[in-house]
Amino acid sequence: MTSAKRTSLRQPARRTFNASCTPMTDGGYVITFEDITERRQTENQTSHMAHHDPLTDLANRVLFYEKIENLLLRVPPNGGFAVLSLDLDHFKRVNDTLGHPTGDKLLQAVAGRMRGCVRETDIVARLGGDEFAIVQEPLFGPTDAISLAMRLIASVSAPYWIDDRRIIIGTSIGIAIAPNDGSGPDQLMKNADLALCASKANGGSGYRFFKRQMEARRQKRTSLKVAV
């Protein structure tokens, strides 16, 4: 007897079934339906939780790095994408003075504004704390990254009303361009972070592109610390 064949069927009511078709010796078939809707929903929910930040529902570090790896595999010779590293100016002061619940609401509001600044092809992630990152793809030139950075700074810096309190923060941004500024996710993020540090050192609420001399200065500072 030929073994049973299985397939999945989706019903209009959004229920999912496995259909098992078993041939009979007399030439007929026995079709058995198994409702797997709850199992599939649980699997999807588990996968979503593994790849998204629970507070903001943005992509998390795992998903963000996976996206960068996939983009690097198919980046055209003359193309590329931008990696933006962001953190919030004055966020610690909000947490310290107004408490973590208010800080969490502020992070959710910031996430919503960042979503409103990007295209469907871009990826916004929360890496932890008040650290965010964005992949801008496709990128047609540095001016695209500049335009996005300026939109983000303007949007995030606008006043927030949370629990009847007016809150003002800002954001600093570092930008690395793939593949010129890195051939892997770790290197791209490290270089974007170096540019972010340069932006914050310049007073915050601005953006800087990664430059090779930033890495040279970092190595020099590290050498001086080791020597001391």
Side-chain angles (χ1 to χ4, degrees), residues 160-182:
Y160 300 81
W161 285 96
I162 297 176
D163 296 333
D164 296 325
R165 294 177 181 271
R166 187 172 184 265
I167 299 174
I168 296 179
I169 58 171
T171 184
S172 299
I173 304 173
I175 306 170
I177 305 296
N180 292 338
D181 293 338

Side-chain angles (χ1 to χ4, degrees), residues 4-5 22 24 28 32 35 43 66-67 75 78 87 91 111 119 128 142 147 151 175 179 223 227:
K5 296 181 180 179
T22 306
M24 305 299 292
T32 305
D35 189 340
E43 291 171 352
E66 286 180 359
K67 294 292 187 180
V75 65
N78 298 323
D87 74 5
F91 178 74
R119 306 162 299 183
S147 295
R151 288 199 304 273
I175 306 170
S223 299

Side-chain angles (χ1 to χ4, degrees), residues 110-119 122 124 134 136 147-156:
V110 168
R113 292 189 182 185
M114 287 186 179
R115 285 192 187 97
C117 291
V118 302
R119 306 162 299 183
D122 302 330
V124 187
I134 295 174
Q136 185 185 24
S147 295
L148 174 57
M150 293 178 67
R151 288 199 304 273
L152 288 162
I153 292 168
S155 180
V156 173

Side-chain angles (χ1 to χ4, degrees), residues 6-187:
R6 290 181 177 273
T7 188
S8 294
L9 301 176
R10 286 198 175 274
Q11 300 300 309
R14 298 186 179 274
R15 302 202 68 81
T16 304
F17 296 85
N18 266 346
S20 175
C21 182
T22 306
M24 305 299 292
T25 56
D26 61 0
Y29 292 88
V30 174
I31 301 177
T32 305
F33 293 93
E34 178 190 6
D35 189 340
I36 62 168
T37 305
E38 292 185 4
R39 186 174 75 197
R40 187 63 56 83
Q41 289 173 344
T42 300
E43 291 171 352
N44 291 340
Q45 183 179 14
T46 301
S47 176
H48 185 88
M49 291 173 63
H51 292 91
H52 291 80
D53 172 57
L55 179 65
T56 62
D57 203 40
L58 296 176
N60 64 11
R61 186 181 296 270
V62 173
L63 180 58
F64 190 73
Y65 275 53
E66 286 180 359
K67 294 292 187 180
I68 294 177
E69 288 178 348
N70 291 335
L71 287 174
L72 287 170
L73 290 175
R74 58 182 178 85
V75 65
N78 298 323
F81 58 92
V83 175
L84 288 74
S85 177
L86 310 88
D87 74 5
L88 304 182
D89 303 326
H90 315 303
F91 178 74
K92 185 178 184 300
R93 183 179 63 194
V94 174
N95 259 353
D96 290 345
T97 59
L98 302 180
H100 289 281
T102 298
D104 286 348
K105 292 177 182 178
L106 178 59
L107 290 172
Q108 290 170 334
V110 168
R113 292 189 182 185
M114 287 186 179
R115 285 192 187 97
C117 291
V118 302
R119 306 162 299 183
E120 291 184 0
T121 54
D122 302 330
I123 304 156
V124 187
R126 180 183 176 223
L127 305 185
D130 64 329
E131 300 174 23
F132 296 83
I134 295 174
V135 164
Q136 185 185 24
E137 193 277 332
L139 183 77
F140 299 104
T143 54
D144 286 350
I146 293 172
S147 295
L148 174 57
M150 293 178 67
R151 288 199 304 273
L152 288 162
I153 292 168
S155 180
V156 173
S157 300
Y160 300 81
W161 285 96
I162 297 176
D163 296 333
D164 296 325
R165 294 177 181 271
R166 187 172 184 265
I167 299 174
I168 296 179
I169 58 171
T171 184
S172 299
I173 304 173
I175 306 170
I177 305 296
N180 292 338
D181 293 338
S183 57
D186 289 330
Q187 186 179 16

